[in-house]
Amino acid sequence: MHKLLKHAREKKGLKTREISTLLNIDQALISKFENGQRTPTKQQVIQLAKLLEIDEDLLIIAWLKEKIKHLIADESLGLKALQEVASELDPTKEKNKNIDFLFEEMETLRAKMEAFKNSQTN
């Protein structure tokens, strides 16, 4: 996210001091956001996206990604926890698993019924 902020600011030809004034955010914080030393608040991300004309969703996703990475980076079970959260937040994934399971069960039952039917005719 920090590279995206710096690139967008430079592309617009703005100085960190100008952004600081326009958004009423300390200039040192703007520099730290761009260097990856500090993480802005969500409100600051929204303000920066508007000012720098960055897609707000793109910037918020980058912001969330950094926050999540920072939170789980030193946790041995961090990735596993993240995978479990992802499956809980994506009900279609779990729903698809359930549907696949039902189809497998139906196929098993069909095969058993076919075998039973064949055993009855012999």
Side-chain angles (χ1 to χ4, degrees), residues 8-19:
R9 177 185 59 76
E10 289 173 344
K11 186 177 175 185
K12 292 200 60 85
L14 294 170
K15 305 275 188 217
T16 55
R17 146 178 59 73
E18 294 169 309
I19 291 180

Side-chain angles (χ1 to χ4, degrees), residues 65 68-88 93:
K65 186 176 100 175
I68 292 166
K69 277 187 353 186
H70 178 74
L71 182 65
I72 68 169
D74 296 328
E75 295 292 336
S76 62
L77 297 172
L79 186 56
K80 180 153 178 59
L82 182 59
Q83 290 167 334
E84 288 189 21
V85 167
S87 70
E88 287 178 19
K93 183 177 179 182

Side-chain angles (χ1 to χ4, degrees), residues 11-118:
K11 186 177 175 185
K12 292 200 60 85
L14 294 170
K15 305 275 188 217
T16 55
R17 146 178 59 73
E18 294 169 309
I19 291 180
S20 171
T21 302
L22 290 168
L23 298 182
N24 197 25
I25 300 172
D26 185 61
Q27 183 179 352
L29 273 177
I30 301 294
S31 293
K32 288 180 180 184
F33 295 163
E34 289 186 359
N35 294 325
Q37 296 171 331
R38 290 283 302 269
T39 303
T41 65
K42 185 175 182 181
Q43 186 59 40
Q44 289 168 331
V45 169
I46 292 168
Q47 290 175 319
L48 287 162
K50 287 178 184 166
L51 177 65
L52 299 173
E53 297 176 1
I54 302 171
D55 179 79
E56 188 176 307
D57 289 352
L58 177 74
L59 198 55
I60 289 175
I61 289 168
W63 172 74
L64 284 168
K65 186 176 100 175
E66 282 190 17
K67 287 178 68 90
I68 292 166
K69 277 187 353 186
H70 178 74
L71 182 65
I72 68 169
D74 296 328
E75 295 292 336
S76 62
L77 297 172
L79 186 56
K80 180 153 178 59
L82 182 59
Q83 290 167 334
E84 288 189 21
V85 167
S87 70
E88 287 178 19
L89 292 177
D90 185 2
T92 58
K93 183 177 179 182
E94 195 59 39
K95 188 176 183 180
N96 288 341
K97 275 182 166 176
N98 292 337
I99 290 170
D100 291 343
F101 175 76
L102 287 174
F103 280 126
E104 288 172 17
E105 287 293 306
M106 288 170 60
E107 183 58 32
T108 301
L109 288 172
R110 187 200 62 73
K112 286 181 180 179
M113 288 175 62
E114 189 67 33
F116 178 75
K117 184 173 136 184
N118 289 339

